[in-house]
Amino acid sequence: MPLVFNTLLADAGIAPRDVRLLRHETKRHGRTPYSLWRDDLNGFDDYQRVQKRSRRSYFASPFWAAFVVEPGGKTLFAGLSAVSSAGAISDGWLDPISGRDTALLVDYELYELVRQEALSCFVGRLVIDWGGGTRTWAQRADKQDKTILAWRESFAEPAFPGHLAFVAQLSDLAALPNGWRAALAAARGVYLLTCPRTHEQYVGAATGVEGFLGRWTDYVETGHGGNVGLKSRDPADYQVSILQVAGSAEDRADIEATEALWKVKLQSRDMGLNRN
């Protein structure tokens, strides 16, 4: 019989009916709840403290069990907090992820959270199966008994999937695990951008000292990275992937020759965003 999360709650003397499960995944603002939890625990607690006033009766439970979605899609236990009654959001409060201020949060209120020692040994180590209803990000523990998939020896960033298996949005770059960022910065080669609105492709080459990561960061900062085809349109959150990694002996001319070949293969000059 599989181990379930409610068993851990019961062993800690906490009734599942008193717990709300909150799964935080949003990607709309570049920074993710996972990276906020990893890098700024107080900021993460601030983020989840704000909930809609219209759902007060639902969220006003004694405990919240928080989960975050790590790179790769697994649901990781982020901690248990005791919940106090909601109150008004103070002037000047900013959402740690979206940056929205109180003037835009007209139907929201602020809860007081106190992190609990109970289940703290599982934080960053416990992976659960949330199930198929991921749009329902807040659930009652007594109605949703989550199966535990893994119990890791310690918290560790997910392993880098490999350059050719890597796929992400430009907005994801800042939130990537440090090991992933280092791997992308250390490699050069040919990459692909795909526009989410028009589905057009752009083939490019990363030849600088910061490799793929440095080149893609140019797009994040400028919206076009200096490319004529991309300058002709509104900035987009392009999907990025790697077509070919250059060998250590290859120089800039070698990489650009490989880039030209990929442009021919993908016809990105005729049906894409390449202009040369």
Side-chain angles (χ1 to χ4, degrees), residues 42 117 135 164 227:
N42 289 332
E117 188 63 28
R135 292 187 64 182
L164 297 185
N227 301 125

Side-chain angles (χ1 to χ4, degrees), residues 214-234:
R215 188 68 186 104
W216 295 340
T217 300
D218 287 342
Y219 296 112
V220 175
E221 294 176 349
T222 66
H224 51 71
N227 301 125
V228 174
L230 303 186
K231 283 183 177 180
S232 66
R233 59 185 54 240
D234 293 333

Side-chain angles (χ1 to χ4, degrees), residues 24 31 36 48 65 69 79 118 124 133 145 168 175 190 197 214 222 236 256-257:
H24 302 291
R31 197 175 193 184
L36 186 63
Q48 65 169 346
V69 179
D145 204 355
V190 181
R197 289 182 283 106
T222 66
E256 290 178 346

Side-chain angles (χ1 to χ4, degrees), residues 30-112:
R31 197 175 193 184
T32 65
Y34 169 82
S35 65
L36 186 63
W37 167 78
R38 180 192 64 198
D39 301 332
D40 181 5
L41 190 56
N42 289 332
F44 174 75
D45 284 343
D46 250 2
Y47 165 73
Q48 65 169 346
R49 287 172 62 200
V50 176
Q51 302 295 341
K52 284 190 174 183
R53 183 180 296 110
S54 57
R55 299 197 68 190
R56 179 187 294 179
S57 61
Y58 183 84
F59 284 110
S61 60
F63 298 98
W64 290 355
F67 298 84
V68 290
V69 179
E70 62 183 12
K74 293 182 179 179
T75 301
L76 187 69
F77 179 54
L80 182 74
S81 297
V83 184
S84 301
S85 58
I89 303 176
S90 58
D91 291 340
W93 185 91
L94 297 177
D95 184 291
I97 288 185
S98 70
R100 293 179 299 175
D101 60 26
T102 54
L104 300 177
L105 299 174
V106 294
D107 184 37
Y108 290 78
E109 54 192 0
L110 198 66
Y111 287 79
E112 291 300 324

Side-chain angles (χ1 to χ4, degrees), residues 124-147:
R125 301 172 61 193
L126 201 69
V127 178
I128 68 162
D129 179 6
W130 187 263
T134 54
R135 292 187 64 182
T136 307
W137 63 273
Q139 300 178 3
R140 292 181 52 148
D142 58 332
K143 302 293 185 181
Q144 301 287 338
D145 204 355
K146 305 298 185 183
T147 300

Side-chain angles (χ1 to χ4, degrees), residues 129-255:
D129 179 6
W130 187 263
T134 54
R135 292 187 64 182
T136 307
W137 63 273
Q139 300 178 3
R140 292 181 52 148
D142 58 332
K143 302 293 185 181
Q144 301 287 338
D145 204 355
K146 305 298 185 183
T147 300
I148 295 172
L149 299 178
W151 183 1
R152 299 167 178 167
E153 291 187 7
S154 61
F155 170 69
E157 297 279 18
F160 182 62
H163 292 94
L164 297 185
F166 176 82
V167 179
Q169 302 300 127
L170 286 176
S171 60
D172 293 338
L173 294 180
L176 291 177
N178 291 333
W180 294 32
R181 291 171 59 84
L184 293 170
R188 302 174 302 147
V190 181
Y191 59 86
L192 181 70
L193 302 184
T194 306
C195 179
R197 289 182 283 106
T198 66
H199 307 291
E200 293 175 289
Q201 297 175 330
Y202 175 87
V203 175
T207 59
V209 293
E210 289 297 315
F212 291 110
L213 183 65
R215 188 68 186 104
W216 295 340
T217 300
D218 287 342
Y219 296 112
V220 175
E221 294 176 349
T222 66
H224 51 71
N227 301 125
V228 174
L230 303 186
K231 283 183 177 180
S232 66
R233 59 185 54 240
D234 293 333
D237 187 14
Y238 294 97
Q239 177 181 284
V240 293
S241 59
I242 295 171
L243 297 174
Q244 191 165 334
V245 178
S248 58
E250 293 185 73
D251 60 17
R252 183 187 184 105
D254 295 327
I255 297 173

